[in-house]
Amino acid sequence: MKNKKIGLIIALLVTAYGAVALLGFVSRPKQTIEVSPDTVTEVIKEVILKKPTCPNTWDYFIGLKDSKQIVVLAKNLNSYGVDGKLINIKRTVVKSVGSGSQIACGYLYIKAHVAGRALQQEWEHPYVKPDEFGGHLIMDNAVVNRGENGATELLFSLSGINYRETLSSEVRKADWSALLNVSDKTRFAIALNTTDKAGIIDEVSIVYQCWNPEIGQITHDCQLIAE
């Protein structure tokens, strides 16, 4: 009998302890996770220093062009192809100068015509090759592709240029805005793929947006010049 009473007391004590522990668990305030100021600073810095992008719009392109952030690579170039070879290839070196800012994004602008008409887009297209990352441009990839006043105007995003190294090779994609930051000099080869000797590239130019990765701000102190 005595043993039964002791067992009952122990059971009641265990039950009471469990209830108290459960009550403490339920009523215990939520833990506060402390975030150091350094962590907050790093997160904010990462957001602020995000590289700016250039919208795929004609208006934004015109705005950058009007701010004089433009380099002309070729103008009034008579170019065509004979027996699978491009004739009158224009070779231009683009030099990066300035105070240390980089090219964040930009556009490749091309205007061309053949004998007073726009390009026949089934087989006529521009050839632009910076270093080893370009060639026959895929016109379907253009932000703007329009025929006006007997010529074709093309606008490509520098961040995503689609091209073929040769007419029979596979399509590749390159970020020319990043390429222009690799070295202070980039060598371009420019021509027009057409069988008509009256092919003319009216203009090939790059319009670009500068930024300083150290402070994460858009700047106007980088410059591209053609040599």
Side-chain angles (χ1 to χ4, degrees):
M1 187 68 176
K2 184 178 180 179
N3 290 338
K4 289 183 178 181
K5 287 182 179 181
I6 294 173
L8 180 59
I9 292 171
I10 292 174
L12 289 172
L13 288 173
V14 170
T15 303
Y17 178 79
V20 171
L22 179 61
L23 181 61
F25 176 78
V26 173
S27 62
R28 182 182 302 160
K30 294 182 179 179
Q31 292 183 346
T32 301
I33 300 175
E34 295 185 0
V35 180
S36 68
D38 292 339
T39 302
V40 175
T41 301
E42 288 300 319
V43 172
I44 293 175
K45 183 178 179 181
E46 183 178 350
V47 173
I48 292 177
L49 296 185
K50 185 177 180 181
K51 185 174 70 172
T53 58
C54 296
N56 289 338
T57 64
W58 181 262
D59 289 343
Y60 199 88
F61 158 73
I62 292 299
L64 283 181
K65 183 179 179 180
D66 290 343
S67 68
K68 309 302 182 184
Q69 294 188 239
I70 179 173
V71 57
V72 178
L73 310 184
K75 212 168 181 71
N76 299 323
L77 172 66
N78 175 218
S79 180
Y80 51 93
V82 175
D83 297 329
K85 294 182 179 181
L86 295 171
I87 306 299
N88 293 341
I89 297 176
K90 170 72 173 180
R91 303 191 184 277
T92 303
V93 176
V94 173
K95 186 176 181 180
S96 177
V97 299
S99 63
S101 293
Q102 297 181 358
I103 307 300
C105 57
Y107 308 92
L108 174 70
Y109 171 77
I110 300 173
K111 183 178 180 180
H113 71 275
V114 176
R117 61 167 173 79
L119 302 183
Q120 299 291 337
Q121 301 194 24
E122 292 80 7
W123 68 86
E124 294 176 332
H125 57 265
Y127 177 94
V128 183
K129 186 177 183 180
D131 292 338
E132 300 302 319
F133 298 94
H136 299 269
L137 300 189
I138 308 301
M139 293 170 61
D140 291 343
N141 181 233
V143 175
V144 174
N145 181 347
R146 64 188 183 191
E148 283 192 359
N149 300 321
T152 294
E153 281 189 305
L154 299 165
L155 187 67
F156 298 89
S157 168
L158 276 187
S159 301
I161 301 290
N162 287 3
Y163 66 93
R164 287 188 173 93
E165 290 187 1
T166 66
L167 290 175
S168 59
S169 63
E170 63 181 11
V171 176
R172 296 186 176 182
K173 187 174 183 178
D175 184 344
W176 287 6
S177 59
L179 178 65
L180 290 167
N181 293 319
V182 172
S183 172
D184 61 350
K185 289 185 178 181
T186 306
R187 292 166 175 80
F188 281 81
I190 300 167
L192 184 62
N193 189 80
T194 177
T195 57
D196 195 321
K197 293 184 178 180
I200 299 290
I201 293 180
D202 300 278
E203 181 181 343
V204 175
S205 58
I206 289 177
V207 171
Y208 52 93
Q209 176 71 75
C210 304
W211 83 302
N212 187 322
E214 295 297 323
I215 60 176
Q217 293 182 359
I218 291 175
T219 62
H220 299 277
D221 55 359
C222 70
Q223 185 179 6
L224 297 178
I225 60 175
E227 296 182 334

